[in-house]
Amino acid sequence: QCLSNSLLKSLHTNSSSRRFQLFLTFAGFYGRPWTADQRRVLFRRLREWGMNTYMYAPKDDHKHRAGWREQYSALESGDLEELMKSAQSNGINFVYALSPGLDISFSDEGEIALLKRKMEQVCQMGCKSFALLFDDIEEQLSPSDKESFESFAAAQVHVTNMMYDHLDRPEVFLFCPTEYCASRADPSVVKSRYLLTLGEKLHPAIDILWTGPRVVSKAISTESIAQVASSLKRCPVIWDNIHANDYDQRRLFLGPYDSRSTDLYPMLNGILTNPNCEFEPNFIAIHTLASWYRCAKSKHQKSRSHVTAKGKIESMEAEPEPEREPPAEEVMQSESKEDSTELKSNNGSEAADIAVDDSTQVGRLDSGTESGMEVEPTNGTEMSDVETEEEYDLQNSLKKAVKAWLSEFARPVSSVGVQPRVVSTVAAAQMQQDVGDAARTPVDGDPVDARGKDENSPKRHRQQDAMKMRVTMTEDDVSLLVDLFYLPHQHGPRAVELMKEFHWLKKHANMSRGQGNQGQESEPREDENNVVCDEKMASAGETSSDTEASEMEDDSGIGVTQSRHWMARAKAFHVSCKQISRMFAQLTDIPNRALLYDLYPYIWDVKEVIMLLDAYIAWLEAGCKRKGKQISFLPEDMEPWIFRGGIAAEMQRLLPSCDGPEGLFSSDAAPLEPSSRVFTVRPYRPEDEVRNAIPIIA
């Protein structure tokens, strides 16, 4: 059911004295928390991009979750207080979150006293905004709690309201429910007694977090938000997991903020986003979310300056407020300290929740800070163009984010606590040698284990060429990187095209042994009338088509044989693989070592798999032979790096798989009754020799 206009208006009116906040959560994931230096860099970026709130909620910070009862030591308190001051100096509201839900006894007065004491300690450090999180816990009460509370929701509401009053009702107080998405609402969003209890009994000034239809939502619609707002009796704050990668250690998400309409803006009290565990790869995620926010804000403010029911034009925009400019000393100290910061441990993690504008109100929706002042970018010229746009242009926002992120690649940053340097280190040189091995396109028909091992191969020359490669990363390189690690529910365009092309080449492998290729060497030959192969072939519109090659024509209108058409597409596939190897080689030599080491394990893994696909196509080109002998693509005694992933990958391969676009696994059940299949037996024919020589790798 959609939220009625009258109820929606009522919800907006009740929050008319509050601001919309965009919370970007950089502390809500499972993994190694980010360092203090990384958070300071984050605060500077938030200030530059017009965002105003940071929520501290690292799941693997012992005293945030498992050890929530324990108070911070003097040293820990000093570090946390310093972090708060750093946020405040950048105009960022610091929200401290605590997760006591693992083992708290809601009816135990001693437990409540410990909770109050912990929050009081943080309050004394200067924190003015708080959150209680009850996500990812068992939804059941202890025997003693069952005697005091009628339900799990009632127990959580009791403790949360008590803490809200105890902290003198702070302006920003967030609550994360146990049923935090539609898929976890029992039995549904509109009928869940848990959610309805929150809506009825939780203090109306407390904001409730919501991840959307699922834990990791592919899209969030206005209809789904209307439903949950009806149950909660307030506009929710989205806690978005679109870029969170803590559930899969082999995936990284560099894509833009997508599939969230700007029409959501007046229906929300804020947006939070859980980032990648690694700090550096979150640049595009935050940058594009900031673009989304500005577009949504501009669109909504303009729509509210229309003719009213009485025919009068009333501007609903807030009165202009003076732009906040931090004291010059603070800015200089902050810039100086952050620019010289040596970021440590690249695959650290911590989720941050950035919020820009706290509550939804139809009356006033601006990017307010803790003091209510507008935070505008201080030097982000690339962001200023977005402020006047009404529609969120995904591709344009992504392009601007890629361009802005490219400058970070060239910024000298160390990840090991030593003096930043521009030139490559010995470790980077070793990486480049690895690149030299991997960058070769295996067109000679080598089996997998022979790749890069041939004594006569020009390995030394390739290594020297890789070491000479001092070309900086380009926007196209960064865009390619983003396409390889896009979003949870979709791959980037070039990654999709690469997979489609490999699928086509494998499916039509028999074309590689057509009449025009019989008896030729493993390296395909081309004449002047053949199709011209270059980087554009892999992205041509016909690459994903299964049209018969005999019907294809080149730019001159000259028909091509099936064999030559297959060879042309195979060559284009090699070019695409080489682009990825070249991008990897350039990435290993960037001055920003912290960024490199955050990305390195992911891009290395993908690059090696792509090289394996490349070797397979080369093997098909060579007629499944090497040095005139028939060979198998996969040797009996394979090296451990050929199929990656260890026991997890082995177990996943045990599941029934399907090739359809809807998912990895088939839901087809076994037939209730056995069926008979009829087979026709015939003698072995010469043409079967070709077919059997090209095994299809499932």
Side-chain angles (χ1 to χ4, degrees):
Q1 299 177 358
C2 293
L3 195 62
S4 65
N5 292 335
S6 59
L7 180 54
L8 184 59
K9 181 178 179 181
S10 174
L11 292 173
H12 289 159
T13 302
N14 291 337
S15 61
S16 60
S17 61
R18 311 177 67 197
R19 299 180 310 276
F20 178 94
Q21 291 195 3
L22 185 61
F23 297 88
L24 240 79
T25 305
F26 290 92
F29 57 77
Y30 297 87
R32 182 186 301 170
W34 293 347
T35 67
D37 288 338
Q38 287 173 327
R39 294 190 187 104
R40 292 189 187 99
V41 173
L42 172 66
F43 297 155
R44 183 190 64 191
R45 290 176 180 173
L46 299 186
R47 182 196 70 214
E48 292 174 351
W49 297 342
M51 312 184 99
N52 74 344
T53 304
Y54 166 89
M55 189 170 86
Y56 177 87
K59 299 294 188 184
D60 286 336
D61 181 339
H62 176 70
K63 294 184 179 180
H64 161 76
R65 187 171 172 88
W68 64 268
R69 299 175 181 85
E70 302 175 25
Q71 288 204 305
Y72 291 104
S73 65
L75 179 60
E76 292 169 335
S77 297
D79 292 340
L80 193 54
E81 184 175 357
E82 182 66 25
L83 191 63
M84 294 178 189
K85 291 180 178 179
S86 177
Q88 293 165 3
S89 68
N90 284 279
I92 306 300
N93 184 27
F94 187 99
V95 179
Y96 177 82
L98 198 64
S99 298
L102 285 176
D103 56 1
I104 187 174
S105 178
F106 296 97
S107 59
D108 189 332
E109 294 184 359
E111 294 274 85
I112 303 303
L114 290 174
L115 182 60
K116 289 180 178 179
R117 192 176 70 158
K118 181 66 168 284
M119 288 298 204
E120 288 171 357
Q121 184 189 27
V122 178
C123 189
Q124 292 172 358
M125 300 176 193
C127 186
K128 299 179 181 179
S129 301
F130 302 90
L132 282 180
L133 312 180
F134 292 98
D135 57 316
D136 300 335
I137 60 175
E138 294 294 330
E139 193 172 347
Q140 59 184 6
L141 291 173
S142 64
S144 59
D145 287 339
K146 289 181 180 179
E147 298 178 0
S148 302
F149 303 103
E150 61 181 8
S151 66
F152 195 57
Q156 292 180 355
V157 166
H158 172 75
V159 171
T160 304
N161 285 340
M162 182 185 299
M163 290 305 305
Y164 179 67
D165 290 333
H166 182 73
L167 295 170
D168 198 20
R169 299 192 174 186
E171 182 181 356
V172 176
F173 196 96
L174 304 174
F175 171 85
C176 183
T178 306
E179 294 183 7
Y180 54 80
C181 63
S183 63
R184 298 198 173 190
D186 185 20
S188 65
V189 172
V190 296
K191 295 181 179 180
S192 168
R193 287 307 311 165
Y194 177 89
L195 296 178
L196 292 174
T197 299
L198 295 183
E200 294 169 0
K201 298 184 178 181
L202 192 66
H203 194 286
I206 297 177
D207 286 313
I208 300 179
L209 304 177
W210 186 254
T211 66
R214 305 185 65 84
V215 178
V216 183
S217 297
K218 182 177 182 179
I220 300 178
S221 66
T222 54
E223 292 78 12
S224 68
I225 295 302
Q227 281 190 342
V228 69
S230 177
S231 296
L232 299 179
K233 291 183 170 56
R234 73 201 73 198
C235 298
V237 171
I238 293 297
W239 191 345
D240 212 328
N241 286 313
I242 187 174
H243 289 101
N245 71 333
D246 55 356
Y247 56 85
D248 190 342
Q249 298 303 309
R250 298 186 65 185
R251 301 186 70 184
L252 192 70
F253 304 117
L254 307 179
Y257 195 67
D258 190 15
S259 300
R260 280 85 172 127
S261 169
T262 52
D263 292 335
L264 290 170
Y265 182 84
M267 305 177 67
L268 302 174
N269 277 358
I271 295 180
L272 305 87
T273 181
N274 258 338
N276 295 281
C277 295
E278 296 77 12
F279 173 76
E280 294 291 346
N282 292 295
F283 190 97
I284 289 179
I286 309 172
H287 196 285
T288 53
L289 177 56
S291 297
W292 181 96
Y293 165 68
R294 283 179 171 77
C295 294
K297 174 183 173 182
S298 174
K299 177 181 179 180
H300 180 69
Q301 288 182 337
K302 185 173 182 179
S303 67
R304 289 166 52 214
S305 297
H306 285 175
V307 179
T308 64
K310 296 181 180 180
K312 296 181 180 180
I313 298 180
E314 297 179 358
S315 174
M316 301 294 291
E317 296 184 8
E319 293 296 327
E321 300 182 37
E323 180 178 354
R324 178 193 184 277
E325 294 185 2
E329 295 183 7
E330 291 182 2
V331 175
M332 293 178 63
Q333 291 175 1
S334 176
E335 295 286 353
S336 175
K337 186 173 183 178
E338 291 161 0
D339 289 343
S340 62
T341 294
E342 297 173 358
L343 299 181
K344 301 175 181 179
S345 186
N346 58 316
N347 56 353
S349 50
E350 164 186 88
D353 297 321
I354 309 171
V356 181
D357 298 307
D358 165 16
S359 344
T360 290
Q361 76 171 27
V362 168
R364 199 171 151 208
L365 299 154
D366 45 13
S367 159
T369 64
E370 182 181 3
S371 60
M373 297 182 181
E374 185 84 8
V375 177
E376 297 296 343
T378 57
N379 65 349
T381 55
E382 74 281 358
M383 302 298 292
S384 61
D385 298 336
V386 185
E387 294 180 357
T388 58
E389 297 178 4
E390 296 181 21
E391 295 297 335
Y392 176 59
D393 187 331
L394 177 66
Q395 294 304 321
N396 185 49
S397 297
L398 176 58
K399 183 178 180 180
K400 291 182 178 180
V402 166
K403 183 177 180 180
W405 194 27
L406 181 61
S407 62
E408 291 293 318
F409 285 72
R411 186 166 64 93
V413 178
S414 169
S415 66
V416 292
V418 298
Q419 184 67 25
R421 64 274 188 190
V422 178
V423 297
S424 297
T425 61
V426 175
Q430 181 59 47
M431 292 180 190
Q432 294 285 23
Q433 292 180 3
D434 294 339
V435 173
D437 288 338
R440 178 173 65 95
T441 301
V443 295
D444 56 358
D446 289 351
V448 170
D449 283 349
R451 186 160 52 98
K453 305 291 192 298
D454 194 332
E455 295 180 357
N456 297 323
S457 66
K459 177 178 179 181
R460 178 176 301 178
H461 298 291
R462 292 195 305 273
Q463 292 178 352
Q464 291 175 350
D465 292 341
M467 292 302 296
K468 292 177 182 179
M469 192 177 300
R470 298 300 182 214
V471 181
T472 58
M473 293 281 288
T474 65
E475 288 185 32
D476 186 67
D477 292 327
V478 178
S479 295
L480 176 59
L481 181 65
V482 171
D483 279 354
L484 294 174
F485 303 94
Y486 204 67
L487 291 173
H489 299 282
Q490 62 185 117
H491 303 299
R494 280 187 281 187
V496 171
E497 195 61 41
L498 190 70
M499 290 189 294
K500 285 183 177 180
E501 196 64 11
F502 177 82
H503 178 76
W504 189 93
L505 290 169
K506 187 179 83 168
K507 181 178 180 180
H508 300 89
N510 60 305
M511 292 184 184
S512 66
R513 298 186 52 86
Q515 183 177 1
N517 194 41
Q518 294 285 0
Q520 292 185 2
E521 299 176 2
S522 60
E523 180 75 14
R525 295 177 179 176
E526 295 180 337
D527 56 36
E528 296 179 355
N529 294 327
N530 200 6
V531 173
V532 177
C533 294
D534 57 15
E535 289 85 345
K536 296 181 180 179
M537 278 291 296
S539 59
E542 73 275 14
T543 54
S544 61
S545 172
D546 289 336
T547 304
E548 291 296 329
S550 59
E551 299 177 1
M552 304 295 291
E553 295 182 347
D554 63 10
D555 294 338
S556 302
I558 301 175
V560 294
T561 63
Q562 290 186 357
S563 175
R564 288 179 175 176
H565 177 66
W566 191 97
M567 288 294 181
R569 293 177 69 158
K571 185 173 182 179
F573 182 82
H574 294 320
V575 170
S576 298
C577 294
K578 275 189 174 182
Q579 286 179 324
I580 294 172
S581 290
R582 184 169 60 249
M583 180 268 291
F584 174 79
Q586 293 170 189
L587 179 66
T588 59
D589 201 38
I590 62 174
N592 192 334
R593 312 312 288 173
L595 175 56
L596 166 64
Y597 295 131
D598 273 356
L599 297 173
Y600 188 83
Y602 297 97
I603 184 61
W604 170 267
D605 196 37
V606 168
K607 184 263 301 179
E608 285 295 292
V609 172
I610 291 175
M611 290 298 99
L612 184 64
L613 301 183
D614 200 26
Y616 178 76
I617 298 302
W619 177 72
L620 294 178
E621 285 181 282
C624 311
K625 297 180 180 181
R626 182 171 182 253
K627 296 181 179 179
K629 297 182 179 180
Q630 196 80 18
I631 60 171
S632 172
F633 175 67
L634 297 176
E636 294 182 1
D637 185 17
M638 293 185 297
E639 293 285 1
W641 61 72
I642 294 178
F643 284 110
R644 315 174 76 80
I647 187 63
E650 291 290 342
M651 290 181 174
Q652 190 166 348
R653 282 195 287 269
L654 296 176
L655 294 169
S657 62
C658 66
D659 296 328
E662 298 301 325
L664 292 175
F665 310 114
S666 171
S667 58
D668 295 336
L672 297 178
E673 298 180 359
S675 60
S676 61
R677 299 180 63 184
V678 179
F679 297 89
T680 301
V681 180
R682 60 170 176 76
Y684 190 81
R685 298 174 181 173
E687 55 266 28
D688 294 328
E689 191 73 30
V690 175
R691 185 180 301 108
N692 294 336
I694 308 177
I696 301 300
I697 307 299

